[in-house]
Amino acid sequence: MALTHDSENLPSVAALFAEMGIALPPVTGETLVTTSPVDGAQLARLSQHSTADGQAAIARAETAFRAWRAVPAPRRGQLVRIYGDLLRAHKEPLARIISLECGKILTEARGEVQEVIDICEFATGLSRQLHGLVIATERPGHKLLESWHPMGVFGQITAFNFPAAVWAWGTMVALVCGNAAIWKPSEKTPLTALACTLLFEKAAAEFGDAPDHLVQTLIGGAELGVLLAEDVRVPVLSATGSTRMGRDVAVRVAGRFGRAILELGGNNAAIVTPSADLDLATRGIVFSAAGTAGQRCTTLRRLIVHESLRETLVARLKAAFASLTIGSPLDEASHVGPLIDGQAYDAMQAALASARAEGGKVSGGERVEVPGAGHYVRPALVEMPAQTDIVREETFAPILYVLSYRDFDEAIALQNGVPQGLSSAIFTRDVREAELFQSATGSDCGIANVNIGTSGAEIGGAFGGEKATGGGRAAGSDTWKNYMRRATNTINYSNELPLAQGVKFDIG
Ligand code: UN1
């Protein structure tokens, strides 16, 4: 039996899988036990892949790639379109699996499945728009152009907090580009990964002539990520997670001249200026800071507020944080679900202790009792005297540090004064401040928003950030180029052989 559900209060994983017309494979060999952050109950026992399984998967993916690259891109797009339609039909059970397994509230889990559907639409359209340039040539009777080709096997390492969407960002685009894909999901969310992969197999069956093993998933520990990072047969690897993990992956991939697409930690800030609409700012701040229990890479972690507003805004935020419903993510009334596990809870409490030691005044952050063994907390607001060491670190929990500023330049310096560079926002009605914030001398992040929070980006824009965030752009805009190799082609259709740069090399 693959499923050994031991909670009476949670929906059955087996029933949710059955609703989608899929079933978990039987368990053999090494097993991985998954538990739900909702109440600590065991959700399932799954077979783990060994590194030998991983090696074999890479070999199968190479074979699949050789067939898939020859299929015209718009036809490849049809597979992704079918997959998107399948997810539309099964949005609710998949959202419930996500909620059960990573603890995000249902509306956000549904939003995550929607994000996958959106990227399927995006990638389907893209499948008719993969294009190169034709460039002016200096030689008569010649043509100079660029063409784009698939890379081969695309490897992907993803985190627990977006257990489906981040995979789809990369894999759906990689597929229309003509690659085969291997996914190493977080050990904390293998059920979502299996559901996504099994549904993909259904889409492939409906499509008809997709090669076998076009999309594979490796369930298991960090050694499988290392395998993907080190294997020269994986020319492009995307990794989403901590900066520590990304540094390790980056070095391994660079050591074999592979291409890495890294989306790592964020330490995102919002500046609130004297002209801001405070009602709108409060709503934007609370969703970005407390949503997903502070476990998005785009979560708002730092508030940089003009000193004249500090007291008013802090009072509003304290009231808003106190009014949030903390509880089971499966309860439609909850705003904030559990942290992923006890380790996340301990890291949050340790960060709050450091903040206190560095002069911070903490409100909230305490454990909230919810039946079962989940780790629920009230989001914390921490007024800091300065941007101290703990503020410059990313703690993956709902802690919002409050800093104040006097001059706008000081606000920008604080915003940029951390190692990470993912997302940023400004709340202002002053067009000069808004423009400056978005200019070359403003925010140094990959995302710079005006009058909305730092989280919840749409899939159309390129997503990722600078500095310790890793510099990668995983999806949206023209990031398909990351999943392809570029060839420059010069064609001579004349009877002469003029050399570039006027070089003469006459023979005979
Ligand atoms: C992440 O937390 O790794 O912008 C991704 C957002 C989501 C994606 C977050 N669309 O918050």
Side-chain angles (χ1 to χ4, degrees):
M1 253 305 274
L3 299 173
T4 52
H5 214 305
D6 72 352
S7 172
E8 286 174 7
N9 303 318
L10 300 184
S12 149
V13 172
L16 291 168
F17 267 66
E19 230 181 283
M20 295 186 274
I22 51 176
L24 283 170
V27 178
T28 51
E30 283 278 299
T31 59
L32 176 76
V33 174
T34 69
T35 55
S36 175
V38 177
D39 68 356
Q42 183 175 316
L43 284 178
R45 260 182 343 108
L46 301 167
S47 298
Q48 285 206 55
H49 291 106
S50 63
T51 44
D53 295 333
Q55 301 273 10
I58 296 172
R60 287 194 297 265
E62 276 198 306
T63 307
F65 162 65
R66 278 193 284 274
W68 189 237
R69 67 181 169 183
V71 175
R75 172 85 184 123
R76 298 194 292 245
Q78 292 308 304
L79 171 55
V80 170
R81 184 184 59 71
I82 294 169
Y83 187 55
D85 286 346
L86 207 57
L87 290 178
R88 260 188 203 90
H90 299 305
K91 184 171 175 178
E92 191 59 26
L94 184 57
R96 283 176 188 271
I97 296 274
I98 291 174
S99 232
L100 264 179
E101 196 177 38
C102 86
K104 64 174 64 176
I105 58 171
L106 274 176
T107 179
E108 291 192 53
R110 292 183 189 116
E112 172 148 11
V113 182
Q114 188 58 47
E115 196 161 340
V116 180
I117 295 167
D118 293 346
I119 201 78
C120 287
E121 280 187 5
F122 176 90
T124 304
L126 193 61
S127 70
R128 289 185 179 271
Q129 282 295 313
L130 303 171
H131 56 266
L133 296 172
V134 179
I135 300 160
T137 158
E138 66 190 53
R139 286 174 281 188
H142 282 56
K143 187 163 81 174
L144 177 60
L145 57 90
E146 288 180 343
S147 42
W148 293 86
H149 304 294
M151 299 274 293
V153 180
F154 166 59
Q156 199 175 17
I157 299 170
T158 62
F160 77 86
N161 65 329
F162 272 82
V166 168
W167 163 71
W169 289 353
T171 289
M172 295 308 128
V173 173
L175 285 175
V176 299
C177 291
N179 303 293
I182 302 186
W183 181 16
K184 193 275 178 223
S186 162
E187 297 98 296
K188 294 171 188 170
T189 52
L191 288 171
T192 305
L194 281 173
C196 289
T197 319
L198 292 168
L199 285 172
F200 188 84
E201 282 168 15
K202 282 181 77 152
E206 190 181 329
F207 178 78
D209 54 353
D212 291 340
H213 311 298
L214 189 56
V215 169
Q216 299 175 87
T217 298
L218 297 175
I219 303 293
E223 67 285 357
L224 297 169
V226 169
L227 177 79
L228 293 176
E230 286 186 342
D231 200 306
V232 74
R233 294 171 297 171
V234 182
V236 52
L237 180 85
S238 142
T240 303
S242 67
T243 293
R244 195 172 49 81
M245 176 278 294
R247 208 183 298 278
D248 181 75
V249 165
V251 169
R252 291 177 199 268
V253 175
R256 60 174 177 86
F257 303 110
R259 184 184 296 174
I261 305 169
L262 302 172
E263 195 253 294
L264 312 173
N267 192 354
N268 317 300
I271 298 173
V272 184
T273 78
S275 70
D277 173 337
L278 277 197
D279 283 336
L280 187 140
T282 304
R283 293 201 336 256
I285 290 164
V286 173
F287 173 69
S288 281
T292 334
Q295 300 172 114
R296 288 194 191 214
C297 54
T298 51
T299 290
L300 177 61
R301 310 202 180 280
R302 299 178 297 133
L303 195 61
I304 302 166
V305 52
H306 190 263
E307 58 180 9
S308 64
L309 298 174
R310 178 167 177 152
E311 218 173 294
T312 318
L313 188 59
V314 165
R316 281 190 185 219
L317 290 172
K318 276 187 189 166
F321 277 22
S323 75
L324 293 172
T325 304
I326 322 288
S328 167
L330 301 161
D331 181 343
E332 303 274 0
S334 295
H335 295 108
V336 180
L339 294 174
I340 187 69
D341 54 22
Q343 235 177 322
Y345 175 80
D346 292 345
M348 176 174 180
Q349 298 310 318
L352 291 177
S354 300
R356 281 193 190 93
E358 291 169 19
K361 208 169 100 202
V362 178
S363 355
E366 72 279 5
R367 187 187 275 279
V368 175
E369 289 308 327
V370 172
H375 295 86
Y376 291 80
V377 289
R378 183 159 299 283
L381 195 75
V382 186
E383 292 177 75
M384 294 300 295
Q387 186 145 275
T388 61
D389 289 349
I390 191 68
V391 180
R392 299 176 76 252
E393 261 177 45
E394 178 194 44
T395 303
F396 220 56
I399 301 176
L400 180 60
Y401 297 107
V402 183
L403 305 163
S404 46
Y405 77 92
R406 194 168 293 171
D407 305 322
F408 194 62
D409 288 351
E410 191 190 342
I412 299 281
L414 282 169
Q415 139 66 37
N416 293 343
V418 294
Q420 310 83 351
L422 179 55
S423 186
S424 60
I426 188 168
F427 289 93
T428 184
R429 282 186 285 205
D430 182 331
V431 70
R432 289 165 303 186
E433 287 172 343
E435 289 295 333
L436 202 150
F437 177 75
Q438 296 168 85
S439 76
T441 54
S443 163
D444 64 2
C445 291
I447 298 172
N449 293 336
V450 178
N451 291 329
I452 64 164
T454 51
S455 65
E458 299 174 21
I459 56 98
F463 185 93
E466 306 304 333
K467 304 192 295 188
T469 304
R473 295 296 184 276
S477 186
D478 61 353
T479 57
W480 59 269
K481 291 177 179 170
N482 291 333
Y483 301 90
M484 301 197 89
R485 63 183 175 84
R486 181 195 317 237
T488 300
N489 312 117
T490 307
I491 300 126
N492 177 7
Y493 57 90
S494 74
N495 297 319
E496 307 299 323
L497 194 67
L499 299 178
Q501 296 91 39
V503 173
K504 296 280 174 238
F505 199 81
D506 293 328
I507 52 173

